[in-house]
Amino acid sequence: MVGVFAHPEAANLAYLGLYALQHRGQESAGIVAAHEGKLQSYRGMGRVAEVFGPKEIAKLPGNQAIGHVRYSTSGGSVLQNTQPILIDYRHGSFAIAHNGNLVNARELRGRLEEQGAIFHTSMDTEVVVHLLARVPGKDAGERLAAALAQVSGAYSLVCLTETRLIGVRDPMGFRPLVLGRLIDSGGFVLASETCALDLMGAEFVRDVAPGEMVIISAEGIESRFDLPPSPRHMCIFEYLYFARPDSVLDGIHVYSARKRIGQVLARLHPIDADLVVPVPDSGVAAAMGYAEASGLPFELGLIRNHYVGRTFIQPAQHGRDFGVRVKLNAQPEILKGKRVVLVDDSIVRGTTSAKIVHLIRSAGAREIHFLSSSPPTIGPCYYGIDTPDRSQLIAAQHSVEEVGKMIGADSLGYLTIDALYEAIGSRSLGFCDACFSNDYPIAVPTLPSSRQLYLLKELR
Ligand code: AMP
């Protein structure tokens, strides 16, 4: 998610910001720009470069814009469910982009539908605009705060009106959001991660605080804290997998944290081996940390093809592990006869890990010791990371030894939760680690989410 305020090429900057944030969602992309008191939108399925070209950007003139890349955790992956959502209501126009997942969206939607509301999408985000149309308030900020007081869950939001750019982080601060200043125009930007700032020509100002709303207008920046305060619960998985390594989230540099995690892994799991090999890209920094701390050589035994699209033509006789082989190729020249420490960020279902272990074994490795830089993933996420149901989480169903056997490794080691916080630097900052601890900071939804309903429908 990005927002741009006071730049003559706002949509173009939003596009660049989204480009840098592509890792946060590849299903769809959209931009809304404000021009002469009117909001205009362009959205499409696919990656940023597939959706936007010079023609599309030219259709979005104006000095203010917001943009979104989507990875669905609520609502199906269809054009109708692309963001930002743009609406006209009695107070004017309003566009909203959302990162996170609301846990009481089904209840709110049911109530709103009983009152006659007509929904256009199956996204949880749409309840926010319906609430916005109903609440009192003298300006967009006040109304948005009143609407958000009714929702529960994870949300970082970037919103646009004819005259204002608004950024909000939920009271627990599950998802990141940063404020930056445009170096040439003196305008402002909002972005999910700091890695977007450089490409947008902006410098880092500060993180938006949990529970904070920043309202950027011609008068400057107003900061408000209208939402009920709550202890901070930043998502720990952002640091392990989701965020880009060159980002700094709430003061913690992701790449350095991942390297420290690898160093701690080396202390927890000393292994008599010949090589440390990462699963690229997500395991690279942790594997470097492991190699540094253990003194074992770091080698790229797996090479990743960076140009794999979402679909490819699969021959009928394609053999085992084709999907993984398209992305990763094992190098026998490096691996043959070697005892390998293989480092990846996480094991979720276990299917990818099993295929990767098989690839490395086929390339001649003598032993494979798999290390996960996350603790065992035992709980699904309800706050914006797409983890499957508990029944599909291999570590929720099996012991470490069993998982090791199932993925075909000679041994398997995980990071522990305590060691994770040692590497991150401070537990007291406040994190959500429900996926590793089953300790959910907000009651999990009792009704199935619209995404679960959609997936069930797809299955039928
Ligand atoms: P699997 O164990 O087969 O479910 O796949 C685990 C791999 O998927 C790990 O190597 C991660 O890099 C990656 N991964 C972990 N969490 C997610 C997620 N929420 N969305 C997409 N990929 C993920």
Side-chain angles (χ1 to χ4, degrees), residues 39 157 201 205 210 247 351 354 381 423:
L39 266 55
L157 305 174
V205 175
S247 286
T351 44
C381 180

Side-chain angles (χ1 to χ4, degrees), residues 113-446:
E113 281 175 338
E114 268 169 31
Q115 293 166 7
I118 298 166
F119 279 78
H120 294 271
T121 77
S122 58
M123 288 184 289
D124 56 347
T125 316
E126 199 183 347
V127 299
V128 178
V129 293
H130 282 277
L131 292 171
L132 190 73
R134 285 166 166 76
V135 292
K138 68 173 186 328
D139 57 39
E142 249 182 42
R143 286 189 288 274
L144 185 58
L148 293 175
Q150 298 181 53
V151 311
S152 161
Y155 54 88
S156 280
L157 305 174
V158 173
C159 309
L160 190 66
T161 72
E162 295 86 346
T163 53
R164 289 174 165 81
L165 171 67
I166 304 175
V168 191
R169 210 165 153 202
D170 70 69
M172 292 197 174
F174 284 100
R175 302 281 147 226
L177 187 64
V178 298
L179 175 68
R181 186 182 292 110
L182 288 165
I183 295 161
D184 59 352
S185 76
F188 289 95
V189 300
L190 292 165
S192 292
E193 294 180 33
T194 58
C195 69
L197 299 179
D198 290 337
L199 204 54
M200 295 170 87
E203 59 189 10
F204 175 74
V205 175
R206 64 180 178 85
D207 291 285
V208 175
E212 184 183 14
M213 178 183 294
V214 289
I215 303 170
I216 306 168
S217 68
E219 286 91 63
I221 299 185
E222 181 194 352
S223 162
R224 298 164 60 141
F225 286 86
D226 300 305
L227 299 164
S230 172
R232 181 183 178 276
H233 281 87
M234 171 77 175
C235 168
I236 196 73
F237 201 58
E238 291 270 354
Y239 294 93
L240 289 158
Y241 170 77
F242 207 65
R244 229 171 76 164
D246 50 337
S247 286
V248 180
L249 306 184
D250 279 359
I252 299 169
H253 181 216
V254 175
Y255 174 85
S256 304
R258 288 183 189 165
K259 254 188 106 175
R260 288 195 300 273
I261 286 168
Q263 289 162 354
V264 174
L265 261 184
R267 201 186 66 221
L268 282 185
H269 300 288
I271 295 166
D272 190 14
D274 304 308
L275 300 175
V276 182
V277 172
V279 176
D281 292 327
S282 51
V284 172
M288 285 173 74
Y290 189 99
E292 218 172 83
S294 64
L296 292 174
F298 172 92
E299 291 287 1
L300 293 175
L302 284 169
I303 299 297
R304 179 167 169 184
N305 181 341
H306 287 269
Y307 306 99
V308 180
R310 281 166 304 149
T311 52
F312 42 79
I313 302 157
Q314 194 162 327
Q317 304 289 317
H318 52 70
R320 209 179 137 176
D321 312 335
F322 187 75
V324 165
R325 276 175 201 274
V326 170
K327 280 192 206 137
L328 297 172
N329 197 25
Q331 304 202 70
E333 294 78 3
I334 304 291
L335 299 165
K336 200 159 186 210
K338 296 294 196 299
R339 297 167 303 164
V340 175
V341 174
L342 182 64
V343 183
D344 200 1
D345 67 284
S346 59
I347 303 173
V348 183
R349 292 178 184 82
T351 44
T352 312
S353 320
K355 288 175 182 170
I356 292 171
V357 168
H358 184 252
L359 269 189
I360 303 236
R361 189 87 68 195
S362 309
R366 184 149 59 94
E367 289 174 21
I368 302 168
H369 302 278
F370 197 109
L371 292 180
S372 160
S373 62
S374 297
T377 304
I378 55 170
C381 180
Y382 299 96
Y383 314 127
I385 300 283
D386 190 19
T387 32
D389 185 78
R390 188 167 281 110
S391 64
Q392 290 177 54
L393 296 174
I394 194 168
Q397 306 297 331
H398 301 277
S399 69
V400 175
E401 219 168 89
E402 285 170 347
V403 176
K405 284 211 179 87
M406 289 166 85
I407 65 170
D410 294 284
S411 75
L412 168 64
Y414 284 98
L415 195 71
T416 63
I417 296 181
D418 286 342
L420 171 59
Y421 287 117
E422 180 196 331
I424 290 287
S426 174
R427 193 177 208 147
S428 59
L429 271 175
F431 295 94
C432 173
D433 55 22
C435 50
F436 308 133
S437 64
N438 275 327
D439 184 3
Y440 289 92
I442 302 182
V444 298
T446 44

